[in-house]
Amino acid sequence: MKKIALIVVWAGKLPDYFQIWLYSCKNNPSIDFYVFTDDRTEYEYPVNVKYNFYSFEELRQKFRNIFPFEISLERPYKFCDYKPAYGEAFSSYLKGYDFWGYCDIDLIWGNIRKFLTDEVLEDYDRFFTRGHCSIFRNDEKINSYYRTLSANGHLDYKMVYQSDKPWCFDEWATHCGGLSVILKEHNIPTYDEPMMADIDVAHGRFAIHRREDLKKVDYFAYSRGNLYACQMKKKDEIKQTPILYCHFQKRKIKLADNLNANEFVLLPPGEIRNEDDPKNKMFRSIKILYFDLVIFLKKVWSRIRALS
């Protein structure tokens, strides 16, 4: 079995839903996760999640050490641009792994090996193209693609790493061309099947990017290491689609008390509980409408500020 390590770098207080992420990691025992953080909060870390305490300054030094020029890394959010460099910055932790990757923690994992089989891993050098999860073959040449491949008029890593501005270099950055654009133009073998559910942040309901089969998801169900996108059909029929993970970016997630770590549901706009309660559907609809109203007002305010 191919060995895979996934890396998370986080400076500051970890979010309340971090324990849910850890639960879903635990049920992927053949994958190792490395968390580098300055947060000493006690969580239930499973054995395959390797906690490593680093101060923010120590984390910055990790990246300073691999570049011959002065870098800009003044704010934690800037770590996103440095994700392509994780393979070099944390190379001492990645010895013996066939693949490494970076991922976010605002997601819930399904059964990773069900989607990333050894047969799939054999044929590609990179898997997925988004910042919330990208995986690379652990090879010195591949790990340095972000700095050795010609940018061809797109984002140059030196400019990105000397700038305090976030550039979305770790993925597409469609306005100026991030790493995903550069790798595509150099014909680097990339596997980018939409196996996950990337939830649109602009809606209270669960609208999924890049998935025609999941245009509307009523809820997500987690069951002993497997994650399903659930769609209500006629006559109480429920269609369950297995997914690699769901990414609930920028949503406030409310966790129920006494949560069962092996069996739970994620309900819109952002609530994790042990099971769905049909009696709460009307109340949930109101919360979704409120979520949409807040998003709408934020957009209006943003336009007003742009015109003033």
Side-chain angles (χ1 to χ4, degrees):
M1 182 178 290
K2 304 292 186 183
K3 294 188 65 177
I4 303 173
L6 294 175
I7 296 173
V8 169
V9 177
W10 188 279
K13 179 71 173 66
L14 287 159
D16 293 339
Y17 53 73
F18 181 60
Q19 188 63 61
I20 295 295
W21 182 81
L22 290 173
Y23 288 153
S24 66
C25 292
K26 180 180 180 180
N27 284 319
N28 284 286
S30 67
I31 311 290
D32 286 337
F33 301 85
Y34 287 84
V35 177
F36 300 92
T37 181
D38 60 356
D39 186 351
R40 291 187 182 273
T41 303
E42 292 188 8
Y43 290 97
E44 297 177 35
Y45 280 94
V47 294
N48 63 322
V49 180
K50 320 297 183 181
Y51 169 85
N52 300 274
F53 179 82
Y54 279 84
S55 69
F56 181 48
E57 180 57 32
E58 289 172 327
L59 288 170
R60 290 199 295 183
Q61 192 59 44
K62 276 283 186 184
F63 296 96
R64 290 190 183 117
N65 290 341
I66 62 173
F67 298 113
F69 53 84
E70 189 65 28
I71 65 171
S72 178
L73 216 177
E74 302 305 315
R75 295 172 293 170
Y77 189 74
K78 183 66 177 177
F79 280 125
C80 292
D81 279 337
Y82 285 88
K83 286 178 178 179
Y86 285 6
E88 293 180 332
F90 299 102
S91 59
S92 62
Y93 292 88
L94 298 176
K95 293 177 181 178
Y97 288 99
D98 300 295
F99 296 87
W100 72 274
Y102 46 80
C103 66
D104 289 346
I105 57 176
D106 54 350
L107 55 82
I108 299 170
W109 294 107
N111 186 337
I112 297 175
R113 292 288 185 181
K114 182 174 182 177
F115 296 91
L116 291 179
T117 64
D118 276 5
E119 289 73 21
V120 170
L121 292 169
E122 192 67 41
D123 295 333
Y124 300 88
D125 293 334
R126 190 196 189 192
F127 300 82
F128 314 125
T129 61
R130 270 62 181 178
H132 38 88
C133 180
S134 285
I135 299 172
F136 300 83
R137 189 177 299 277
N138 191 18
D139 175 273
E140 286 187 15
K141 179 181 177 181
I142 295 170
N143 293 351
S144 64
Y145 272 163
Y146 73 96
R147 67 161 96 196
T148 55
L149 293 179
S150 171
N152 291 334
H154 300 298
L155 289 174
D156 177 75
Y157 82 100
K158 289 183 180 179
M159 183 280 292
V160 171
Y161 294 161
Q162 290 176 314
S163 168
D164 189 45
K165 174 183 174 181
W167 289 93
C168 300
F169 181 59
D170 56 319
E171 49 175 88
W172 288 96
T174 51
H175 57 295
C176 48
L179 181 63
S180 295
V181 175
I182 295 170
L183 293 180
K184 182 178 180 180
E185 292 195 356
H186 283 276
N187 299 312
I188 302 303
T190 300
Y191 185 80
D192 196 28
E193 292 296 318
M195 301 172 163
M196 66 293 293
D198 184 20
I199 305 172
D200 190 342
V201 71
H203 302 282
R205 61 184 176 84
F206 289 158
I208 312 302
H209 291 296
R210 304 175 63 220
R211 294 290 299 260
E212 289 296 318
D213 60 327
L214 299 179
K215 280 189 174 181
K216 180 179 179 296
V217 172
D218 292 285
Y219 63 95
F220 294 94
Y222 185 83
S223 179
R224 299 188 178 279
N226 294 286
L227 183 64
Y228 304 94
C230 300
Q231 298 166 295
M232 303 294 293
K233 303 297 182 179
K234 295 180 180 179
K235 297 181 181 179
D236 295 327
E237 177 189 352
I238 302 175
K239 179 184 177 182
Q240 293 187 322
T241 304
I243 56 174
L244 175 63
Y245 63 84
C246 68
H247 178 223
F248 49 80
Q249 58 176 325
K250 300 178 182 177
R251 288 175 186 258
K252 290 184 178 180
I253 302 298
K254 180 181 179 182
L255 303 179
D257 295 330
N258 301 316
L259 192 67
N260 181 346
N262 289 313
E263 303 278 349
F264 58 81
V265 293
L266 171 61
L267 304 169
E271 182 181 10
I272 294 178
R273 50 189 301 129
N274 289 331
E275 58 185 356
D276 188 12
D277 184 352
K279 297 178 182 178
N280 289 333
K281 287 186 177 180
M282 180 63 72
F283 183 55
R284 192 155 65 245
S285 296
I286 294 172
K287 289 194 289 186
I288 291 172
L289 287 173
Y290 177 75
F291 185 101
D292 290 339
L293 177 61
V294 170
I295 293 295
F296 173 75
L297 292 176
K298 285 182 178 179
K299 288 180 178 179
V300 170
W301 177 240
S302 179
R303 291 179 182 177
I304 291 174
R305 290 181 63 186
L307 293 172
S308 62

